[in-house]
């Protein structure tokens, strides 16, 4: 571990893999929200777990050591999850436990009022064990939106958030929080 680090930023990727991001300039760290894009092969970093640190980046013991001298910021991507995540893979298998974790909607639904940060299609087509489904993907087809109408999703995400607090987060950035609620016929913001 580099002992000359002045600040630590804990970055949670879309799939909620945890990366430690270090910078000598605190403000640069705070502004480094796009840090995932600075890794050329970020797909290789995915571990697809909310609570596991990528093995190349250390472990929770390292975070605890850093926490003794520095304040920590965690980046919590609460709107969506990786298409490669265990949750979505189980959904694709039609595991009933994950049946309502994501938003499947008729492809002909009028979603023209939805505020969009990108021009990619809002619905992405997926083949599931139960047949073809069109899933809400605000940002891209590899970032699957979670269904917060389902209390189980809310409980699981609150559990993750509380876990980060228990692990010493001084700040938590809620990524894409403005896009969490989806309702056809509205702006969803």
């Amino acid at each position: 571990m580099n002992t000359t680090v002045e600040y630590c930023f804990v970055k949670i990727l879309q799939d909620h893999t945890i990366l430690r991001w270090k910078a000598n300039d605190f403000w640069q760290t705070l502004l480094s929200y796009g840090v995932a894009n600075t890794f050329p092969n970020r797909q290789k970093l995915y571990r697809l777990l909310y609570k596991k640190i990528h093995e190349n980046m250390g472990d929770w013991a390292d975070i605890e050591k850093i926490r003794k001298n520095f304040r920590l910021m965690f980046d919590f991507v609460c709107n969506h999850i990786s298409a490669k995540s265990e949750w979505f893979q189980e959904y694709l298998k039609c595991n009933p436990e994950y049946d309502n974790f994501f938003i499947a909607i008729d492809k002909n639904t009028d979603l023209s009022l939805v505020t969009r940060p990108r021009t990619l299609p809002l619905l992405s087509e997926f083949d599931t064990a139960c047949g073809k489904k069109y899933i809400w993907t605000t940002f891209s087809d590899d970032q699957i939106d979670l269904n917060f109408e389902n209390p189980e999703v809310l409980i699981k995400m609150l559990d993750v958030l509380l876990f980060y607090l228990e692990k010493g987060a001084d700040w938590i950035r809620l990524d894409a929080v403005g896009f969490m609620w989806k309702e056809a016929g509205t702006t969803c913001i």
Side-chain angles (χ1 to χ4, degrees):
M1 178 168 53
N2 181 347
T3 57
T4 64
V5 174
E6 294 181 13
Y7 301 96
C8 180
F9 175 69
V10 179
K11 173 68 180 169
I12 316 300
L13 296 178
Q14 309 157 358
D15 61 9
H16 308 284
T17 300
I18 299 165
L19 297 175
R20 292 180 306 155
W21 179 255
K22 305 168 200 170
N24 290 326
D25 183 302
F26 180 65
W27 295 109
Q28 177 185 347
T29 302
L30 284 178
L31 296 173
S32 294
Y33 296 140
V35 67
N37 296 325
T38 67
F39 292 93
N41 295 312
R42 71 179 188 165
Q43 293 293 330
K44 294 179 182 178
L45 298 175
Y46 287 176
R47 279 292 175 250
L48 313 171
L49 299 172
Y50 284 105
K51 299 178 181 179
K52 182 174 173 65
I53 297 174
H54 189 276
E55 67 264 8
N56 292 341
M57 304 304 281
D59 57 24
W60 282 113
D62 291 326
I63 297 294
E64 184 56 36
K65 289 175 193 172
I66 292 170
R67 185 178 169 351
K68 289 178 182 177
N69 298 305
F70 308 103
R71 299 181 77 186
L72 303 180
M73 173 184 267
F74 285 52
D75 194 17
F76 180 50
V77 182
C78 49
N79 175 68
H80 50 269
I81 192 167
S82 170
K84 296 180 181 179
S85 69
E86 178 185 348
W87 292 5
F88 192 64
Q89 292 304 304
E90 289 300 314
Y91 175 84
L92 293 176
K93 295 176 189 173
C94 295
N95 179 337
E97 182 180 342
Y98 296 91
D99 183 46
N100 202 23
F101 271 50
F102 307 97
I103 301 165
I105 192 167
D106 184 293
K107 70 177 182 175
N108 297 314
T109 303
D110 180 8
L111 300 171
S112 61
L113 293 177
V114 175
T115 301
R116 298 300 316 286
R118 299 193 179 152
T119 58
L120 297 170
L122 181 59
L123 301 179
S124 297
E125 182 180 316
F126 289 93
D127 291 319
T128 74
C130 304
K132 190 174 303 227
K133 292 189 179 184
Y134 293 87
I135 309 297
W136 198 297
T137 54
T138 297
F139 293 94
S140 68
D141 64 358
D142 66 337
Q143 300 175 355
I144 314 302
D145 287 40
L146 292 164
N147 181 6
F148 279 91
E149 283 189 350
N150 179 351
E152 286 298 314
V153 170
L154 179 61
I155 290 167
K156 282 186 178 282
M157 295 304 282
L158 287 174
D159 177 65
V160 171
L161 192 58
L162 292 173
F163 176 80
Y164 296 153
L165 292 171
E166 289 172 3
K167 290 298 185 181
D170 293 295
W171 301 285
I172 297 178
R173 175 181 175 265
L174 302 177
D175 180 82
V177 70
F179 298 95
M180 288 172 56
W181 200 257
K182 284 86 172 163
E183 187 175 341
T186 72
T187 62
C188 298
I189 292 282

